[in-house]
Amino acid sequence: MTAQTSPATPAGTVEQLRLPGQFAAPDGPLDPFMMYLAHHGFRRDLADFARCVPRTPSADRATWRALQKRWSIFREILHHHHAGEDAWIWPQLEDRSTADERAILAAMESEHGLIDPLLEACDAGFARMAVGADDTDRADLTTVLGDTHAHLSAHLAHEESDALTLIQARLSVEEWVELEEKFGDDSSLADALRLAPWMLKGLDDDHRAIVKQRVPRPLWVLAALGSRSFRRGERRAFRYDPDATS
């Protein structure tokens, strides 16, 4: 769905979605609001995990199992996002970019490579806590989560400022729509029921209203259908974090 151009938006561009924590939203003819929603979710999740992990008692295995399950959802969505960028978006841009612009694309892939080992360390940390570990293991996980949060946040800021500027300049509306469709081609109904409420978590009423105008109605319906199960999982995983968004 294409966003409506507002009177303050330059001709030939669409009004870009701006969410809390977002670094930039370059002007252009494309409406990559789903990418911005995903970025918001990644920032939100890592902040929630970073706050919750040091507060969760090491001996509470049931909550650690819930946290590990919730971490796996975050990891699956982030992996799909990064894999799609590396497989489809950056190669399509490379053939039509200048040398300086290709350096931006190379940096995107390189940053993915730096983040992956941190994510794997978090995987191992959550797995240890879920089967029974001590406060030292919890402290190690807290540290690597903080490093992951810092590196991913820096990458998302770089992507939003430089890579999204390149996307707006080099891709047509039709090409962008085709790319978005590729990202959803291998998603099952179960995937969609999990992803839709994940995307909307933490948005205030104003941002939810803006997003509702842009997403296809079936996605909003899936978010409603999957919300009860999703919220139940959130309460189990983040039960010791009074600041976690709902």
Side-chain angles (χ1 to χ4, degrees):
M1 179 178 291
T2 302
Q4 296 297 314
T5 302
S6 73
T9 305
T13 69
V14 297
E15 188 173 2
Q16 300 296 310
L17 181 65
R18 295 297 300 259
L19 294 172
Q22 189 172 316
F23 189 80
D27 286 336
L30 312 183
D31 187 18
F33 76 96
M34 289 294 288
M35 180 171 281
Y36 293 136
L37 269 177
H39 286 190
H40 175 263
F42 300 144
R43 290 183 171 106
R44 175 207 65 219
D45 273 11
L46 280 177
D48 284 354
F49 282 118
R51 288 196 314 273
C52 186
V53 160
R55 291 184 169 122
T56 302
S58 299
D60 188 348
R61 291 192 191 183
T63 299
W64 284 109
R65 286 194 294 269
L67 277 167
Q68 184 188 26
K69 181 178 180 180
R70 180 58 174 80
W71 173 258
S72 72
I73 294 174
F74 163 81
R75 282 284 272 129
E76 179 184 349
I77 297 170
L78 180 61
H79 173 74
H80 186 268
H81 183 82
H82 280 178
E85 290 175 338
D86 289 342
W88 302 318
I89 298 181
W90 312 145
Q92 188 164 348
L93 288 168
E94 189 169 4
D95 292 340
R96 59 188 77 175
S97 296
T98 66
D100 287 344
E101 291 168 344
R102 286 194 293 273
I104 294 172
L105 301 177
M108 292 295 104
E109 292 193 58
S110 176
E111 289 165 15
H112 287 179
L114 291 173
I115 293 165
D116 286 344
L118 293 170
L119 294 169
E120 291 167 4
C122 291
D123 294 343
F126 278 108
R128 282 194 299 271
M129 298 306 299
V131 298
D134 58 23
D135 290 351
T136 299
D137 293 305
R138 184 183 61 183
D140 290 343
L141 178 55
T142 299
T143 298
V144 74
L145 273 170
D147 292 342
T148 305
H149 192 190
H151 278 76
L152 184 60
S153 296
H155 167 68
L156 296 177
H158 190 189
E159 184 174 311
E160 288 166 356
S161 58
D162 291 345
L164 262 295
T165 297
L166 185 54
I167 285 171
Q168 291 284 10
R170 294 288 184 260
L171 296 180
S172 69
V173 173
E174 293 75 19
E175 287 172 328
W176 183 251
V177 170
E178 289 176 2
L179 285 167
E180 287 191 319
E181 289 174 351
K182 281 185 178 180
F183 273 85
D185 279 347
D186 59 350
S187 295
S188 66
L189 178 59
D191 293 332
L193 285 169
R194 185 170 60 249
L195 176 62
W198 179 90
M199 282 281 197
L200 299 178
K201 180 188 174 184
L203 298 182
D204 61 26
D205 290 343
D206 290 340
H207 284 112
R208 287 176 72 90
I210 293 170
V211 170
K212 189 173 184 179
Q213 295 173 1
R214 301 188 182 203
V215 301
R217 179 172 172 77
L219 184 60
W220 203 262
V221 172
L222 288 171
L225 291 174
S227 62
R228 179 178 295 181
S229 175
F230 180 78
R231 287 198 301 269
R232 186 164 57 245
E234 297 298 278
R235 289 193 295 270
R236 288 172 178 166
F238 298 113
R239 61 175 298 193
Y240 292 103
D241 180 9
D243 299 324
T245 54
S246 58

